[in-house]
Amino acid sequence: YNLTLTRITGFLRVEVRPGDALITVDSERYEPSRVAEVPVGRYTVRARAFGYEEHRETVVIRERELTELSLTLAKAGFRVSALRVNRSRFNPLNPGVLGTVRIGFDITSFGTGSAVILDDSGREVYRTAFGRFTTWEQELTWDGRAAGGRQVPDGAYTVRLSAVGEAGGTVVEREEVIRVD
């Protein structure tokens, strides 16, 4: 026996504002405003754009029917996630990436910020400024050196992030402790 199965499909069109939003349909990227042929079933449509709140909605695709979705994303407030470090202890004498620590955080909207690293007595040993935030994920890499280039001594160091949103001037501060060992 030879059988040829025909997939049962329907159609989906998603309009979104702002027009540069990223749209996914069950983790598959989707081009806004075009009609896509999709197998029948239930799907989660996700739309996101930097500076806007993410929107998720479930749609049901029915056989030979066009399902249309029109979304307008709401402006996001300025929020900053907790700081993430790839290692809580590191040795700057190790080669390459083993001798550094990466400090990351997420931003929801436009703004600026800076990070300072303080020794255990509260003295500033390193400072960096971030450019204008234009994407969700931000990261800083520190090699255990002070501003002048000398290696800092072993001990606990506090990473202090200060970020300010463009709309309304919301100031957010976050801290994380790391050890040079």
Side-chain angles (χ1 to χ4, degrees), residues 17-33:
R17 283 176 222 60
D20 64 344
L22 172 67
I23 300 172
T24 56
V25 178
D26 277 3
S27 76
E28 293 289 321
R29 189 163 176 160
Y30 174 86
E31 288 297 318
S33 301

mmCIF file with all atom_site columns, all heavy atoms in Angstrom, residues 17-33:
data_model
loop_
_atom_site.group_PDB
_atom_site.id
_atom_site.type_symbol
_atom_site.label_atom_id
_atom_site.label_alt_id
_atom_site.label_comp_id
_atom_site.label_asym_id
_atom_site.label_entity_id
_atom_site.label_seq_id
_atom_site.pdbx_PDB_ins_code
_atom_site.Cartn_x
_atom_site.Cartn_y
_atom_site.Cartn_z
_atom_site.occupancy
_atom_site.B_iso_or_equiv
_atom_site.pdbx_formal_charge
_atom_site.auth_seq_id
_atom_site.auth_comp_id
_atom_site.auth_asym_id
_atom_site.auth_atom_id
_atom_site.pdbx_PDB_model_num
ATOM 1   N N   . ARG A 1 17 ? 1.389  46.564 15.909 1.00 0.00 ? 17 ARG A N   1
ATOM 2   C CA  . ARG A 1 17 ? 1.965  47.892 16.045 1.00 0.00 ? 17 ARG A CA  1
ATOM 3   C C   . ARG A 1 17 ? 2.762  47.900 17.322 1.00 0.00 ? 17 ARG A C   1
ATOM 4   O O   . ARG A 1 17 ? 2.231  47.489 18.344 1.00 0.00 ? 17 ARG A O   1
ATOM 5   C CB  . ARG A 1 17 ? 0.860  48.959 16.104 1.00 0.00 ? 17 ARG A CB  1
ATOM 6   C CG  . ARG A 1 17 ? 0.271  49.235 14.732 1.00 0.00 ? 17 ARG A CG  1
ATOM 7   C CD  . ARG A 1 17 ? -0.883 50.219 14.866 1.00 0.00 ? 17 ARG A CD  1
ATOM 8   N NE  . ARG A 1 17 ? -2.060 49.945 14.091 1.00 0.00 ? 17 ARG A NE  1
ATOM 9   C CZ  . ARG A 1 17 ? -2.857 48.887 14.116 1.00 0.00 ? 17 ARG A CZ  1
ATOM 10  N NH1 . ARG A 1 17 ? -2.620 47.897 14.911 1.00 0.00 ? 17 ARG A NH1 1
ATOM 11  N NH2 . ARG A 1 17 ? -3.912 48.793 13.349 1.00 0.00 ? 17 ARG A NH2 1
ATOM 12  N N   . PRO A 1 18 ? 4.028  48.261 17.308 1.00 0.00 ? 18 PRO A N   1
ATOM 13  C CA  . PRO A 1 18 ? 4.816  48.807 16.202 1.00 0.00 ? 18 PRO A CA  1
ATOM 14  C C   . PRO A 1 18 ? 5.144  47.730 15.162 1.00 0.00 ? 18 PRO A C   1
ATOM 15  O O   . PRO A 1 18 ? 5.220  46.545 15.476 1.00 0.00 ? 18 PRO A O   1
ATOM 16  C CB  . PRO A 1 18 ? 6.089  49.324 16.867 1.00 0.00 ? 18 PRO A CB  1
ATOM 17  C CG  . PRO A 1 18 ? 6.251  48.450 18.060 1.00 0.00 ? 18 PRO A CG  1
ATOM 18  C CD  . PRO A 1 18 ? 4.850  48.141 18.535 1.00 0.00 ? 18 PRO A CD  1
ATOM 19  N N   . GLY A 1 19 ? 5.367  48.191 13.947 1.00 0.00 ? 19 GLY A N   1
ATOM 20  C CA  . GLY A 1 19 ? 5.576  47.278 12.828 1.00 0.00 ? 19 GLY A CA  1
ATOM 21  C C   . GLY A 1 19 ? 6.861  46.481 12.886 1.00 0.00 ? 19 GLY A C   1
ATOM 22  O O   . GLY A 1 19 ? 6.988  45.469 12.199 1.00 0.00 ? 19 GLY A O   1
ATOM 23  N N   . ASP A 1 20 ? 7.829  46.892 13.704 1.00 0.00 ? 20 ASP A N   1
ATOM 24  C CA  . ASP A 1 20 ? 9.095  46.155 13.776 1.00 0.00 ? 20 ASP A CA  1
ATOM 25  C C   . ASP A 1 20 ? 9.099  45.105 14.884 1.00 0.00 ? 20 ASP A C   1
ATOM 26  O O   . ASP A 1 20 ? 10.142 44.534 15.205 1.00 0.00 ? 20 ASP A O   1
ATOM 27  C CB  . ASP A 1 20 ? 10.275 47.115 13.969 1.00 0.00 ? 20 ASP A CB  1
ATOM 28  C CG  . ASP A 1 20 ? 10.206 47.875 15.293 1.00 0.00 ? 20 ASP A CG  1
ATOM 29  O OD1 . ASP A 1 20 ? 9.128  47.910 15.927 1.00 0.00 ? 20 ASP A OD1 1
ATOM 30  O OD2 . ASP A 1 20 ? 11.243 48.451 15.686 1.00 0.00 ? 20 ASP A OD2 1
ATOM 31  N N   . ALA A 1 21 ? 7.935  44.799 15.454 1.00 0.00 ? 21 ALA A N   1
ATOM 32  C CA  . ALA A 1 21 ? 7.852  43.812 16.529 1.00 0.00 ? 21 ALA A CA  1
ATOM 33  C C   . ALA A 1 21 ? 8.222  42.429 16.003 1.00 0.00 ? 21 ALA A C   1
ATOM 34  O O   . ALA A 1 21 ? 7.951  42.085 14.847 1.00 0.00 ? 21 ALA A O   1
ATOM 35  C CB  . ALA A 1 21 ? 6.446  43.794 17.126 1.00 0.00 ? 21 ALA A CB  1
ATOM 36  N N   . LEU A 1 22 ? 8.824  41.646 16.868 1.00 0.00 ? 22 LEU A N   1
ATOM 37  C CA  . LEU A 1 22 ? 9.153  40.264 16.570 1.00 0.00 ? 22 LEU A CA  1
ATOM 38  C C   . LEU A 1 22 ? 7.936  39.417 16.916 1.00 0.00 ? 22 LEU A C   1
ATOM 39  O O   . LEU A 1 22 ? 7.446  39.467 18.044 1.00 0.00 ? 22 LEU A O   1
ATOM 40  C CB  . LEU A 1 22 ? 10.368 39.818 17.392 1.00 0.00 ? 22 LEU A CB  1
ATOM 41  C CG  . LEU A 1 22 ? 10.717 38.342 17.340 1.00 0.00 ? 22 LEU A CG  1
ATOM 42  C CD1 . LEU A 1 22 ? 11.193 37.958 15.934 1.00 0.00 ? 22 LEU A CD1 1
ATOM 43  C CD2 . LEU A 1 22 ? 11.779 38.021 18.367 1.00 0.00 ? 22 LEU A CD2 1
ATOM 44  N N   . ILE A 1 23 ? 7.479  38.637 15.944 1.00 0.00 ? 23 ILE A N   1
ATOM 45  C CA  . ILE A 1 23 ? 6.314  37.786 16.167 1.00 0.00 ? 23 ILE A CA  1
ATOM 46  C C   . ILE A 1 23 ? 6.745  36.334 16.027 1.00 0.00 ? 23 ILE A C   1
ATOM 47  O O   . ILE A 1 23 ? 7.426  35.968 15.071 1.00 0.00 ? 23 ILE A O   1
ATOM 48  C CB  . ILE A 1 23 ? 5.196  38.079 15.150 1.00 0.00 ? 23 ILE A CB  1
ATOM 49  C CG1 . ILE A 1 23 ? 4.749  39.530 15.263 1.00 0.00 ? 23 ILE A CG1 1
ATOM 50  C CG2 . ILE A 1 23 ? 4.018  37.136 15.358 1.00 0.00 ? 23 ILE A CG2 1
ATOM 51  C CD1 . ILE A 1 23 ? 3.795  39.951 14.184 1.00 0.00 ? 23 ILE A CD1 1
ATOM 52  N N   . THR A 1 24 ? 6.352  35.513 17.014 1.00 0.00 ? 24 THR A N   1
ATOM 53  C CA  . THR A 1 24 ? 6.572  34.080 16.912 1.00 0.00 ? 24 THR A CA  1
ATOM 54  C C   . THR A 1 24 ? 5.244  33.370 17.105 1.00 0.00 ? 24 THR A C   1
ATOM 55  O O   . THR A 1 24 ? 4.378  33.819 17.854 1.00 0.00 ? 24 THR A O   1
ATOM 56  C CB  . THR A 1 24 ? 7.588  33.563 17.952 1.00 0.00 ? 24 THR A CB  1
ATOM 57  O OG1 . THR A 1 24 ? 7.150  33.928 19.257 1.00 0.00 ? 24 THR A OG1 1
ATOM 58  C CG2 . THR A 1 24 ? 8.976  34.126 17.696 1.00 0.00 ? 24 THR A CG2 1
ATOM 59  N N   . VAL A 1 25 ? 5.094  32.274 16.387 1.00 0.00 ? 25 VAL A N   1
ATOM 60  C CA  . VAL A 1 25 ? 3.930  31.409 16.522 1.00 0.00 ? 25 VAL A CA  1
ATOM 61  C C   . VAL A 1 25 ? 4.486  30.063 16.969 1.00 0.00 ? 25 VAL A C   1
ATOM 62  O O   . VAL A 1 25 ? 5.135  29.369 16.186 1.00 0.00 ? 25 VAL A O   1
ATOM 63  C CB  . VAL A 1 25 ? 3.154  31.289 15.191 1.00 0.00 ? 25 VAL A CB  1
ATOM 64  C CG1 . VAL A 1 25 ? 1.978  30.339 15.345 1.00 0.00 ? 25 VAL A CG1 1
ATOM 65  C CG2 . VAL A 1 25 ? 2.684  32.658 14.724 1.00 0.00 ? 25 VAL A CG2 1
ATOM 66  N N   . ASP A 1 26 ? 4.264  29.731 18.249 1.00 0.00 ? 26 ASP A N   1
ATOM 67  C CA  . ASP A 1 26 ? 4.860  28.531 18.850 1.00 0.00 ? 26 ASP A CA  1
ATOM 68  C C   . ASP A 1 26 ? 6.336  28.405 18.523 1.00 0.00 ? 26 ASP A C   1
ATOM 69  O O   . ASP A 1 26 ? 6.790  27.415 17.979 1.00 0.00 ? 26 ASP A O   1
ATOM 70  C CB  . ASP A 1 26 ? 4.110  27.269 18.424 1.00 0.00 ? 26 ASP A CB  1
ATOM 71  C CG  . ASP A 1 26 ? 2.877  27.015 19.272 1.00 0.00 ? 26 ASP A CG  1
ATOM 72  O OD1 . ASP A 1 26 ? 2.566  27.837 20.142 1.00 0.00 ? 26 ASP A OD1 1
ATOM 73  O OD2 . ASP A 1 26 ? 2.223  25.985 19.045 1.00 0.00 ? 26 ASP A OD2 1
ATOM 74  N N   . SER A 1 27 ? 7.110  29.423 18.804 1.00 0.00 ? 27 SER A N   1
ATOM 75  C CA  . SER A 1 27 ? 8.565  29.519 18.657 1.00 0.00 ? 27 SER A CA  1
ATOM 76  C C   . SER A 1 27 ? 9.057  29.616 17.212 1.00 0.00 ? 27 SER A C   1
ATOM 77  O O   . SER A 1 27 ? 10.244 29.727 16.972 1.00 0.00 ? 27 SER A O   1
ATOM 78  C CB  . SER A 1 27 ? 9.286  28.374 19.394 1.00 0.00 ? 27 SER A CB  1
ATOM 79  O OG  . SER A 1 27 ? 9.184  27.165 18.680 1.00 0.00 ? 27 SER A OG  1
ATOM 80  N N   . GLU A 1 28 ? 8.188  29.587 16.238 1.00 0.00 ? 28 GLU A N   1
ATOM 81  C CA  . GLU A 1 28 ? 8.576  29.804 14.845 1.00 0.00 ? 28 GLU A CA  1
ATOM 82  C C   . GLU A 1 28 ? 8.393  31.276 14.514 1.00 0.00 ? 28 GLU A C   1
ATOM 83  O O   . GLU A 1 28 ? 7.331  31.848 14.772 1.00 0.00 ? 28 GLU A O   1
ATOM 84  C CB  . GLU A 1 28 ? 7.715  28.969 13.887 1.00 0.00 ? 28 GLU A CB  1
ATOM 85  C CG  . GLU A 1 28 ? 7.927  27.480 14.009 1.00 0.00 ? 28 GLU A CG  1
ATOM 86  C CD  . GLU A 1 28 ? 9.267  27.036 13.474 1.00 0.00 ? 28 GLU A CD  1
ATOM 87  O OE1 . GLU A 1 28 ? 9.711  27.579 12.442 1.00 0.00 ? 28 GLU A OE1 1
ATOM 88  O OE2 . GLU A 1 28 ? 9.871  26.149 14.106 1.00 0.00 ? 28 GLU A OE2 1
ATOM 89  N N   . ARG A 1 29 ? 9.411  31.876 13.932 1.00 0.00 ? 29 ARG A N   1
ATOM 90  C CA  . ARG A 1 29 ? 9.320  33.292 13.564 1.00 0.00 ? 29 ARG A CA  1
ATOM 91  C C   . ARG A 1 29 ? 8.276  33.476 12.470 1.00 0.00 ? 29 ARG A C   1
ATOM 92  O O   . ARG A 1 29 ? 8.158  32.662 11.564 1.00 0.00 ? 29 ARG A O   1
ATOM 93  C CB  . ARG A 1 29 ? 10.685 33.791 13.103 1.00 0.00 ? 29 ARG A CB  1
ATOM 94  C CG  . ARG A 1 29 ? 10.648 35.275 12.928 1.00 0.00 ? 29 ARG A CG  1
ATOM 95  C CD  . ARG A 1 29 ? 11.998 35.848 12.890 1.00 0.00 ? 29 ARG A CD  1
ATOM 96  N NE  . ARG A 1 29 ? 11.809 37.260 12.629 1.00 0.00 ? 29 ARG A NE  1
ATOM 97  C CZ  . ARG A 1 29 ? 12.682 38.162 12.878 1.00 0.00 ? 29 ARG A CZ  1
ATOM 98  N NH1 . ARG A 1 29 ? 13.811 37.816 13.390 1.00 0.00 ? 29 ARG A NH1 1
ATOM 99  N NH2 . ARG A 1 29 ? 12.441 39.419 12.625 1.00 0.00 ? 29 ARG A NH2 1
ATOM 100 N N   . TYR A 1 30 ? 7.551  34.591 12.573 1.00 0.00 ? 30 TYR A N   1
ATOM 101 C CA  . TYR A 1 30 ? 6.439  34.854 11.664 1.00 0.00 ? 30 TYR A CA  1
ATOM 102 C C   . TYR A 1 30 ? 6.588  36.264 11.107 1.00 0.00 ? 30 TYR A C   1
ATOM 103 O O   . TYR A 1 30 ? 6.889  37.192 11.845 1.00 0.00 ? 30 TYR A O   1
ATOM 104 C CB  . TYR A 1 30 ? 5.130  34.704 12.450 1.00 0.00 ? 30 TYR A CB  1
ATOM 105 C CG  . TYR A 1 30 ? 3.904  35.088 11.680 1.00 0.00 ? 30 TYR A CG  1
ATOM 106 C CD1 . TYR A 1 30 ? 3.265  34.179 10.858 1.00 0.00 ? 30 TYR A CD1 1
ATOM 107 C CD2 . TYR A 1 30 ? 3.375  36.368 11.778 1.00 0.00 ? 30 TYR A CD2 1
ATOM 108 C CE1 . TYR A 1 30 ? 2.137  34.533 10.149 1.00 0.00 ? 30 TYR A CE1 1
ATOM 109 C CE2 . TYR A 1 30 ? 2.246  36.735 11.072 1.00 0.00 ? 30 TYR A CE2 1
ATOM 110 C CZ  . TYR A 1 30 ? 1.639  35.812 10.257 1.00 0.00 ? 30 TYR A CZ  1
ATOM 111 O OH  . TYR A 1 30 ? 0.525  36.154 9.561  1.00 0.00 ? 30 TYR A OH  1
ATOM 112 N N   . GLU A 1 31 ? 6.376  36.413 9.829  1.00 0.00 ? 31 GLU A N   1
ATOM 113 C CA  . GLU A 1 31 ? 6.431  37.736 9.190  1.00 0.00 ? 31 GLU A CA  1
ATOM 114 C C   . GLU A 1 31 ? 5.086  38.434 9.366  1.00 0.00 ? 31 GLU A C   1
ATOM 115 O O   . GLU A 1 31 ? 4.062  37.894 8.941  1.00 0.00 ? 31 GLU A O   1
ATOM 116 C CB  . GLU A 1 31 ? 6.740  37.603 7.701  1.00 0.00 ? 31 GLU A CB  1
ATOM 117 C CG  . GLU A 1 31 ? 8.157  37.193 7.402  1.00 0.00 ? 31 GLU A CG  1
ATOM 118 C CD  . GLU A 1 31 ? 9.172  38.213 7.871  1.00 0.00 ? 31 GLU A CD  1
ATOM 119 O OE1 . GLU A 1 31 ? 8.934  39.434 7.695  1.00 0.00 ? 31 GLU A OE1 1
ATOM 120 O OE2 . GLU A 1 31 ? 10.194 37.785 8.424  1.00 0.00 ? 31 GLU A OE2 1
ATOM 121 N N   . PRO A 1 32 ? 5.078  39.621 9.982  1.00 0.00 ? 32 PRO A N   1
ATOM 122 C CA  . PRO A 1 32 ? 3.806  40.315 10.186 1.00 0.00 ? 32 PRO A CA  1
ATOM 123 C C   . PRO A 1 32 ? 3.137  40.682 8.862  1.00 0.00 ? 32 PRO A C   1
ATOM 124 O O   . PRO A 1 32 ? 3.806  40.896 7.855  1.00 0.00 ? 32 PRO A O   1
ATOM 125 C CB  . PRO A 1 32 ? 4.188  41.565 10.975 1.00 0.00 ? 32 PRO A CB  1
ATOM 126 C CG  . PRO A 1 32 ? 5.655  41.679 10.892 1.00 0.00 ? 32 PRO A CG  1
ATOM 127 C CD  . PRO A 1 32 ? 6.208  40.356 10.482 1.00 0.00 ? 32 PRO A CD  1
ATOM 128 N N   . SER A 1 33 ? 1.839  40.705 8.889  1.00 0.00 ? 33 SER A N   1
ATOM 129 C CA  . SER A 1 33 ? 0.958  41.136 7.796  1.00 0.00 ? 33 SER A CA  1
ATOM 130 C C   . SER A 1 33 ? 0.852  40.145 6.639  1.00 0.00 ? 33 SER A C   1
ATOM 131 O O   . SER A 1 33 ? 0.031  40.334 5.765  1.00 0.00 ? 33 SER A O   1
ATOM 132 C CB  . SER A 1 33 ? 1.387  42.501 7.232  1.00 0.00 ? 33 SER A CB  1
ATOM 133 O OG  . SER A 1 33 ? 1.359  43.455 8.263  1.00 0.00 ? 33 SER A OG  1
#
